[in-house]
Amino acid sequence: DNDEECLNCDGNIYPPGFQSSPTPKIEMINISDVAGGQSQVLIQFYYNDFDYWGWYWAVDDVSILSQSQFDASLETIIWGWDNSYDELSLPYFQIPISQLAPIDFSSKVSNFGSDNINATLTATVPGIYSGASNLVNLTPFNIDTLTVLNSFTPPSVPGSYDVQFNLNTIESDADLSNNTTDNYTLE
């Protein structure tokens, strides 16, 4: 009934994707502190529309899994100019040559594993640019921001440039499918 029960709401009383959200909300919740070592565990889902006359709440594809030892995930790519970016920045995908400036890249990264994991974020424009963050030790079920150390200044030659992002770990990551994202194309 309050925002303290809303997962990942960051103090907002409205859950992510509330009401008519066009995209699903995917949650990974560590329940080992209450379910670990128990002979029986019951899971209950509760829907609260916050008195906004919500139409329905769809729950689909629920899985209860043993936690992997190492599982890092690339959550959100953030980029901008002169370190003036944040999660709310509006990245430009077409940049006039007269406005070329160094572009900084970072990412929110999660650790869904049971152990600490050492990770770096890389950003690459094949044949033109390669950058990496410092190695960061991520603790279980926490989110951190990894920032690529060297900026990318697009060439002054008009064209399309695909920026590739990858989360690299020293440990053997259980799920590599969430360590990359779609390329970002800059013109």
Side-chain angles (χ1 to χ4, degrees):
D1 289 2
N2 59 50
D3 62 336
E4 291 175 8
E5 295 175 352
C6 177
L7 299 171
N8 298 326
C9 288
D10 297 324
N12 188 344
I13 64 167
Y14 304 110
F18 76 100
Q19 288 295 82
S20 299
S21 174
T23 58
K25 175 65 180 160
I26 298 171
E27 286 287 344
M28 293 184 75
I29 304 166
N30 183 352
I31 61 171
S32 60
D33 59 335
V34 294
Q38 302 297 320
S39 61
Q40 288 187 333
V41 176
L42 300 175
I43 305 292
Q44 177 181 0
F45 296 95
Y46 174 74
Y47 174 71
N48 182 348
D49 70 358
F50 297 97
D51 287 332
Y52 281 92
W53 294 86
W55 301 331
Y56 64 92
W57 184 47
V59 177
D60 193 11
D61 297 334
V62 174
S63 298
I64 299 175
L65 308 168
S66 296
Q67 189 173 3
S68 300
Q69 185 176 7
F70 304 111
D71 186 14
S73 175
L74 183 63
E75 300 295 328
T76 306
I77 297 295
I78 307 164
W79 58 286
W81 290 262
D82 299 323
N83 290 316
S84 61
Y85 56 91
D86 62 26
E87 288 184 66
L88 302 176
S89 56
L90 178 64
Y92 292 100
F93 293 91
Q94 291 183 329
I95 306 164
I97 290 175
S98 63
Q99 296 178 12
L100 289 179
I103 301 171
D104 300 310
F105 301 110
S106 70
S107 176
K108 297 283 184 181
V109 178
S110 299
N111 179 1
F112 294 118
S114 62
D115 290 357
N116 289 2
I117 193 165
N118 295 286
T120 58
L121 171 70
T122 60
T124 307
V125 178
I128 297 175
Y129 164 80
S130 181
S133 69
N134 283 326
L135 183 68
V136 174
N137 187 279
L138 302 169
T139 57
F141 280 87
N142 282 313
I143 297 175
D144 204 345
T145 301
L146 276 61
T147 301
V148 174
L149 298 175
N150 54 318
S151 300
F152 167 62
T153 301
S156 59
V157 178
S160 292
Y161 302 95
D162 287 330
V163 185
Q164 302 168 353
F165 298 96
N166 193 37
L167 179 62
N168 305 292
T169 60
I170 292 176
E171 297 78 10
S172 202
D173 197 318
D175 181 7
L176 295 175
S177 69
N178 59 10
N179 289 21
T180 61
T181 137
D182 292 336
N183 294 350
Y184 284 63
T185 302
L186 305 174
E187 295 182 7

